[in-house]
Amino acid sequence: MYIAQAFNTLHDWWRYIIGVFIIVVGVFIGQVPFTAAVMIKAFKDGKNPSELNQSVMMSYLEPNLNLFLMLLSFAVGLVALLLVTKYLHKQSFTQLTTSRKQIDWKRVLFIFFFWGIISSGLVLADYYMTPENYKLNFQLKPFIILCVIAIIFVPLQTSFEEYMFRGYLMQGIGVVVKNKWMPLIITSAVFGLLHIANPEVEKLGPMIMVYYIGTGLFLGIMTLMDEGMELSLGFHAANNLFTALLVTADWTAFQTHSILKDMSDPSETALSEIFVPVFIVFPIILFIFSRIYKWTGWKEKLFGKVEEPALLTSEINTIGHGTDI
């Protein structure tokens, strides 16, 4: 039902092409302040901005300013996406989010704290077991500023990615190809590949794409099985927010005034940090939530057909004339 309900909106394939174009333009507009700030600083430092590679640019500014300007583009992209769905597709925010009559915010909060506590606990456990791999990075004033920026903008960043991939594109591809497995695979692959410019890829090599694509697949499966995005929204927000506040490293996309700084050589633990989450942790989480929310019909929900519900001609015409649904 989550994908199929997009049939009740304006779902022509060309609308999704135009929609993606508008959203991408929105993201690029949101990147203008970051690019301008990097160029100004480079000129002040006597450097040629064109010589700065992607990983250098992502850590070139003061960490809090850098994080704010990086996340700003996602916030603008999210606004563009919501405008596209409202005016181009005549789709309500609820329909984009879930197949339920109302968004289940309890699901969002439950998995947010569930994964936030577990992921933070794993980092702290590693800190106490191998303290030589960490440096205390805490500074009160920068950390407070970080908290304000992260608490406001990280959920906007993760929500943009979820609404783009597990929402807009999942539904759009699904109503075009009329099955569920293809949008699941395509959105997971594109989600992963869009992280290819992250400094983690440069440091750990292309193998880390297993983690990014695997994470996209995990979030997509959770969305299809739960018939809504609430769980993926909460998980993604917790994953990025708690990480931004708790630990940073010189080779990560988020370089922040966090409490700890990881000083270890990531190449030594790359295999475990890539494969353990994807092939052990994520399946366990899916199993736990399948029990909590009583998921059934895995084959149908992940590989079944997306069937168009019968609409009266008058209803279609009403949608076409802009009635908000």
Side-chain angles (χ1 to χ4, degrees):
M1 290 180 61
Y2 174 66
I3 293 178
Q5 68 185 356
F7 279 118
N8 295 324
T9 69
L10 300 179
H11 58 276
D12 311 88
W13 64 268
W14 56 267
R15 293 180 186 272
Y16 287 97
I17 300 296
I18 295 173
V20 169
F21 175 76
I22 294 172
I23 294 165
V24 170
V25 170
V27 172
F28 276 112
I29 291 173
Q31 287 179 341
V32 170
F34 173 76
T35 304
V38 170
M39 292 179 66
I40 291 171
K41 187 175 187 298
F43 283 128
K44 287 183 178 179
D45 294 343
K47 297 180 180 180
N48 185 347
S50 63
E51 296 177 354
L52 301 177
N53 60 36
Q54 182 72 13
S55 60
V56 172
M57 288 183 66
M58 293 179 73
S59 60
Y60 194 60
L61 304 173
E62 189 277 329
N64 280 333
L65 176 62
N66 192 78
L67 182 67
F68 167 71
L69 293 177
M70 281 178 58
L71 297 180
L72 182 62
S73 65
F74 294 97
V76 176
L78 180 61
V79 172
L81 190 155
L82 296 179
L83 291 175
V84 162
T85 56
K86 181 176 176 63
Y87 294 105
L88 185 60
H89 297 276
K90 305 300 180 184
Q91 183 178 33
S92 70
F93 182 62
T94 301
Q95 284 181 313
L96 181 63
T97 306
T98 185
S99 62
R100 285 168 272 275
K101 292 182 179 180
Q102 294 181 333
I103 298 172
D104 189 347
W105 294 107
K106 290 183 180 179
R107 272 173 156 85
V108 179
L109 292 175
F110 177 70
I111 197 170
F112 176 84
F113 288 109
F114 171 86
W115 183 243
I117 291 170
I118 290 177
S119 59
S120 299
L122 292 173
V123 171
L124 293 175
D126 190 52
Y127 170 69
Y128 284 108
M129 289 189 293
T130 57
E132 67 276 7
N133 289 339
Y134 293 89
K135 172 185 175 182
L136 189 63
N137 194 50
F138 180 77
Q139 300 177 63
L140 181 59
K141 185 177 178 179
F143 181 74
I144 291 174
I145 297 172
L146 167 64
C147 286
V148 173
I149 294 171
I151 290 172
I152 295 173
F153 283 94
V154 168
L156 294 178
Q157 175 248 328
T158 57
S159 293
F160 167 73
E161 294 186 355
E162 289 309 303
Y163 277 107
M164 184 67 183
F165 293 100
R166 260 63 66 181
Y168 188 68
L169 292 179
M170 182 81 80
Q171 290 184 338
I173 297 171
V175 296
V176 171
V177 301
K178 293 183 173 57
N179 65 52
K180 299 174 184 178
W181 67 267
M182 192 174 293
L184 174 61
I185 297 300
I186 292 175
T187 57
S188 300
V190 176
F191 173 77
L193 291 173
L194 285 181
H195 290 78
I196 201 166
N198 282 17
E200 290 94 332
V201 179
E202 182 179 338
K203 186 70 176 180
L204 299 175
M207 188 175 293
I208 196 173
M209 298 309 297
V210 172
Y211 173 78
Y212 289 130
I213 295 174
T215 300
L217 193 61
F218 160 69
L219 294 171
I221 291 172
M222 196 152 52
T223 297
L224 291 179
M225 290 305 304
D226 201 49
E227 296 287 4
M229 287 173 47
E230 291 97 336
L231 294 179
S232 66
L233 283 168
F235 181 93
H236 201 162
N239 188 72
N240 287 24
L241 179 59
F242 283 88
T243 299
L245 296 178
L246 190 57
V247 63
T248 188
D250 290 332
W251 45 272
T252 59
F254 282 180
Q255 297 187 30
T256 66
H257 289 293
S258 58
I259 296 173
L260 299 172
K261 186 171 184 178
D262 187 349
M263 307 299 292
S264 64
D265 183 357
S267 62
E268 295 179 357
T269 57
L271 290 178
S272 62
E273 292 186 4
I274 292 171
F275 289 97
V276 170
V278 173
F279 296 104
I280 297 178
V281 177
F282 292 166
I284 291 175
I285 292 175
L286 288 174
F287 175 77
I288 292 172
F289 280 87
S290 72
R291 295 294 184 177
I292 294 174
Y293 295 113
K294 298 178 173 58
W295 294 343
T296 57
W298 288 73
K299 182 178 179 180
E300 171 60 27
K301 287 186 176 181
L302 298 182
F303 302 100
K305 295 180 180 180
V306 176
E307 297 181 355
E308 183 172 1
L311 276 180
L312 295 176
T313 303
S314 60
E315 290 177 311
I316 297 174
N317 290 335
T318 300
I319 295 173
H321 283 87
T323 301
D324 193 11
I325 59 175

